Amino acid sequence: KVLIMGLLVSLVGCSSFGGKKIEENDSVTSEFMGGEIKITYDKDGKFESMQASGSARMTSSLPSAREDAFIVAKMRAQQKLVEFMKNELESEHTKKTIYDSLQEGQNTGGQDSNEVNAKIARNLTEDIKTKSRAILKGVHIESKKFDTSTNTVLVVVKTGTKEIATAKTVYTLMGN
């Protein structure tokens, strides 16, 4: 179990592979906005998941203050996802970040890696843009933490291909 968890953390927690070649089933993660947004995709540029983090401070000592801060932090994280998809997704900076993440670990089998990685970056951004509505429907809270020393709440929201399928199923089961 420890070995599996270590492998998962190393795959998801980094935007590069430290010189390791990307294998057939490996995922690549690129970080944006100082690590507040992370996009995970396969070596061909197929979208797998996206996550964002948001934080909020407790503003009072009322019993409901912590829950209010969780709600604000969740809304900030969701807002970051929406703004990223609306404003940053097709920027050259985003494509370059994806390209650089791929460049560090991609083995293109003799093809020009610059051309292949640029195409993958374009395909990924187009894939996310095309699926943006479905991506937003699959958003859920991945984790939430409360830091007692700073009275701050941190919420991480996540969406991905599995979450999108689940959202579609729930929508169908509810008769819509």
Side-chain angles (χ1 to χ4, degrees):
K1 289 182 180 181
V2 173
L3 179 61
I4 293 171
M5 289 302 291
L7 181 61
L8 288 173
V9 168
S10 69
L11 288 176
V12 177
C14 304
S15 66
S16 69
F17 282 79
K20 180 179 118 182
K21 297 295 180 201
I22 298 174
E23 299 298 327
E24 191 67 31
N25 296 327
D26 283 344
S27 296
V28 181
T29 300
S30 296
E31 296 182 358
F32 303 91
M33 298 175 65
E36 292 185 352
I37 294 186
K38 296 177 183 175
I39 300 176
T40 305
Y41 47 95
D42 69 13
K43 68 176 185 66
D44 296 321
K46 186 176 177 197
F47 172 77
E48 290 180 359
S49 68
M50 181 183 295
Q51 70 179 37
S53 60
S55 62
R57 294 192 92 175
M58 277 185 29
T59 56
S60 73
S61 59
L62 294 173
S64 64
R66 185 182 292 191
E67 189 60 34
D68 292 344
F70 277 122
I71 291 169
V72 170
K74 176 186 168 205
M75 290 172 64
R76 286 180 179 166
Q78 290 172 329
Q79 180 183 11
K80 286 177 187 175
L81 281 179
V82 171
E83 287 179 0
F84 177 79
M85 287 193 286
K86 185 176 180 183
N87 301 324
E88 299 293 324
L89 185 60
E90 295 201 27
S91 72
E92 287 304 313
H93 173 72
T94 298
K95 290 177 184 171
K96 182 173 180 356
T97 301
I98 295 167
Y99 172 87
D100 290 345
S101 295
L102 287 165
Q103 198 66 16
E104 291 179 16
Q106 185 80 23
N107 180 4
T108 58
Q111 299 178 14
D112 180 21
S113 65
N114 293 336
E115 182 180 314
V116 171
N117 290 339
K119 181 180 178 187
I120 290 170
R122 272 192 316 276
N123 289 345
L124 177 62
T125 56
E126 288 173 14
D127 190 29
I128 293 171
K129 184 178 178 184
T130 303
K131 297 177 180 176
S132 62
R133 281 192 128 147
I135 288 171
L136 292 174
K137 286 182 181 177
V139 173
H140 72 280
I141 295 175
E142 178 77 0
S143 67
K144 57 184 183 177
K145 298 176 187 170
F146 180 70
D147 184 355
T148 54
S149 64
T150 61
N151 280 340
T152 304
V153 173
L154 175 66
V155 173
V156 176
V157 296
K158 183 178 179 183
T159 183
T161 52
K162 293 175 186 171
E163 290 84 357
I164 293 167
T166 302
K168 285 180 183 177
T169 303
V170 169
Y171 189 75
T172 304
L173 290 173
M174 293 179 73
N176 295 318

